[in-house]
Amino acid sequence: MTKAVQSESTGKFKKRVFSGVQPSGGLTLGNYLGAIKRFVEMQNDNYETIYCVVDLHAITVWQNPNILMQNKRELAASFIASGLDPNKSILFNQSAVPEHAQLGWVLTVWLAWAGCNE
């Protein structure tokens, strides 16, 4: 997702990119060429870049907790090893932000309520 945001210091608009990758284990060449290589390019091309390990999305199917933890660490390490710079990009683990899951519940309840009041 790309969105333009206005810089408070300059008043100019800067594009923002947010993307997440599931820690399903072992990045492929396709992951690198199709996404991560572009992530690195965008952080160096005046984009505000935000990248996430989407571990909550990964648990929609059963996961061995120990393997999931290992996959999360390996994915974060792969982001950095591929050139993502924590000084240029925001890198975070989805489950470390409780508001993400909380908003999901709020939207679920709101959508259920809205569907009942049609």
Side-chain angles (χ1 to χ4, degrees):
M1 174 183 355
T2 303
K3 181 179 180 181
V5 291
Q6 189 171 11
S7 168
E8 291 181 24
S9 60
T10 64
K12 294 182 180 179
F13 285 92
K14 186 175 186 179
K15 291 183 180 177
R16 177 185 297 162
V17 173
F18 174 85
S19 189
V21 177
Q22 281 192 31
S24 54
L27 291 176
T28 65
L29 182 59
N31 294 125
Y32 177 73
L33 294 174
I36 297 175
K37 183 175 182 242
R38 292 181 183 167
F39 293 173
V40 174
E41 292 168 357
M42 285 187 277
Q43 81 177 0
N44 296 321
D45 287 339
N46 202 31
Y47 282 81
E48 180 180 14
T49 50
I50 307 165
Y51 301 114
C52 176
V53 176
V54 290
D55 57 333
L56 294 177
H57 285 65
I59 61 172
T60 58
V61 297
W62 187 87
Q63 298 283 337
N64 178 314
N66 295 327
I67 293 173
L68 180 59
M69 180 63 70
Q70 179 181 339
N71 288 344
K72 290 178 354 182
R73 289 182 180 149
E74 287 178 3
L75 179 56
S78 296
F79 275 168
I80 294 168
S82 296
L84 284 177
D85 183 348
N87 295 313
K88 295 180 181 179
S89 296
I90 296 170
L91 306 174
F92 72 98
N93 188 22
Q94 182 185 34
S95 64
V97 182
E99 293 82 1
H100 179 86
Q102 292 165 353
L103 180 60
W105 279 106
V106 168
L107 292 174
T108 299
V109 170
W110 180 81
L111 289 170
W113 176 82
C116 291
N117 290 311
E118 288 182 355

